[in-house]
Amino acid sequence: MDTVLVTGSAGGVGARTVDALADAGREVVAVDRRTPLSDERRDGVDYAAADLTDYGETRQVIGAAAPDAVVHLAAIPHPEDHAGSRVFANNVESAYNVFDAAGAAGARIAWASSESLYGTVFADEDWLPDRLPIDEATPTEPEDPYGLSKVVGEEVAAAAARRHGVPVVSLRLSWVTYPGDERRREARETFDPATADPSGNCWSYVDVRDAVSAIEAAIDPETDIEGHEAVLIVAAENFLGRDTAATIEAVRGTLPADCDLDGDESVFDCTKAERLLGWEPEHSWRDDEANADENG
């Protein structure tokens, strides 16, 4: 039976990943800065506390678990509530420590990179790429410490794959949303293109259930990955229910000269994830809202 170690296990994506892996019969080691109280622990899951910016602690907790796979989700998730230097240092140091320790253990690795590495989400200026949709070949041009930490993290991931000969998948996640989360509905119902602020990710998102299924596919021993691969993990459509290109043009006053978007489809192209991981998004805001209306 495979053993999977999950960092950031107390977070929204982390907790659901732990549950999904345990439900699938995996041995799971859940790692965060603190272990949960006894009544908050899931039966059959081992818990460990570690400061992942400390190489010795990281190497010790991963070595003791001897995992077949490591899922690295621990990070400061944006640059808005912390000093930029802290965001960058925390995310890069923890990525290096986890990837090197996991590689030394011979573990497959999947980790949460981000769409922010393109420079979209936290840019000071009104940013658009030279072409849409965005894919893995689109240049990464971050200005902020969070996006930059993900660019560096992917380079560290590639180095770990080369050094240790293990497969590493960088999952470029969009804004992760959750069933019952009203933020998408509120944004959609109050949206006015005449007054709306530009959206750094052009109103893209990914349902947490699809994020977890991508993680499971990335660490599946049957998934044929060699070296390091980066893949976008994004819902198929924007969460506004509007024509994507027309909405971008209405809000920003312009579109890239090279724009090939159809209807409300996302500005992020997930073809590579489908090809390498066999992954496609299965959940939509429309389904969640239909269910909420039926139960409401």
Side-chain angles (χ1 to χ4, degrees), residues 161-199:
R162 290 191 297 269
R163 178 178 182 182
H164 299 290
V166 296
V168 185
V169 181
S170 295
L171 300 167
R172 295 181 179 178
L173 301 175
S174 186
W175 174 43
V176 179
T177 62
Y178 299 83
D181 188 340
E182 287 294 307
R183 289 176 296 173
R184 290 175 301 187
R185 182 196 291 267
E186 292 169 0
R188 183 166 50 260
E189 292 179 347
T190 61
F191 182 81
D192 180 352
T195 58
D197 292 328
S199 167

Side-chain angles (χ1 to χ4, degrees), residues 184-264:
R184 290 175 301 187
R185 182 196 291 267
E186 292 169 0
R188 183 166 50 260
E189 292 179 347
T190 61
F191 182 81
D192 180 352
T195 58
D197 292 328
S199 167
N201 69 357
C202 301
W203 309 280
S204 295
Y205 72 102
V206 64
D207 187 284
V208 67
R209 292 164 291 184
D210 286 330
V212 171
S213 70
I215 290 167
E216 292 180 291
I219 62 170
D220 188 330
E222 299 300 317
T223 300
D224 186 17
I225 299 291
E226 293 185 3
H228 170 254
E229 296 285 356
V231 294
L232 280 159
I233 302 297
V234 187
E237 72 292 313
N238 68 58
F239 60 79
L240 293 178
R242 293 170 174 260
D243 182 280
T244 305
T247 305
I248 294 171
E249 188 169 26
V251 172
R252 302 190 178 207
T254 187
L255 278 173
D258 185 357
C259 181
D260 183 18
L261 297 172
D262 183 23
D264 66 349

Side-chain angles (χ1 to χ4, degrees), residues 116-133:
S116 298
L117 54 63
Y118 293 108
T120 56
V121 179
F122 301 109
D124 289 335
E125 301 297 327
D126 189 7
W127 181 97
L128 276 176
D130 293 332
R131 64 180 175 86
L132 291 172

